[in-house]
Amino acid sequence: QVRLVESGGGSVQSGGSLTLSCVASGIPFSEYCLGWVRHVETKTREGVAGMGRDGRTAYEDSVKGRFTVSRDNAKSTLYLQMNSLKPEDTATYYCAALKTSGRCDMSTIQALALRAPRGDFGYWGQGTQVTVSS
């Protein structure tokens, strides 16, 4: 059984930092394209960042320079370091994983954002809430 379990969310003031973690089980972690997606109830799910098997990273424009995605294959864990947080970063953050021979870029992460919750494309965690107050 595949499980992705996120943690590290919380409430911070604008300008603060948080680090999210996602521990995966049931998949050969090092072989997967991994990403972070966020969702606000009134908006479409949005890809935030991704990291491929080769270590290449990709970011949504609004988080570039503030967020850093990383992975520890030995621990089957994906991280998202979030600095200079803004109120508009408030959302539920999800970890997503996809085994693909293609590129692990923002197009792939966005596809995961839209399709993984439906269960027909990759895997999806339960989410962790991030709230940033002004």
Side-chain angles (χ1 to χ4, degrees):
Q1 181 181 3
V2 178
R3 292 191 69 199
L4 301 176
V5 180
E6 302 93 336
S7 63
S11 297
V12 297
Q13 290 191 328
S14 182
S17 298
L18 284 172
T19 300
L20 306 184
S21 299
C22 170
V23 179
S25 59
I27 59 172
F29 186 82
S30 63
E31 298 178 15
Y32 273 66
C33 164
L34 304 168
W36 289 97
V37 172
R38 62 188 178 189
H39 187 215
V40 177
E41 284 297 324
T42 56
K43 298 182 180 179
T44 303
R45 285 184 293 272
E46 176 184 50
V48 174
M51 191 169 195
R53 297 179 298 170
D54 58 3
R56 291 186 179 182
T57 58
Y59 297 93
E60 192 269 331
D61 286 345
S62 71
V63 308
K64 286 180 180 177
R66 300 188 298 123
F67 290 11
T68 302
V69 61
S70 61
R71 63 195 290 169
D72 185 336
N73 289 335
K75 296 181 179 180
S76 296
T77 302
L78 179 72
Y79 301 98
L80 185 67
Q81 173 68 44
M82 304 187 294
N83 298 325
S84 302
L85 282 162
K86 304 176 181 180
E88 51 264 43
D89 295 318
T90 295
T92 302
Y93 284 71
Y94 298 88
C95 173
L98 177 70
K99 189 170 185 180
T100 176
S101 59
R103 296 182 64 181
C104 187
D105 55 16
M106 286 312 301
S107 294
T108 301
I109 302 303
Q110 187 58 36
L112 273 171
L114 297 177
R115 296 176 59 185
R118 301 202 299 253
D120 62 355
F121 190 74
Y123 301 103
W124 184 253
Q126 86 291 345
T128 186
Q129 178 66 36
V130 171
T131 302
V132 185
S133 58
S134 57

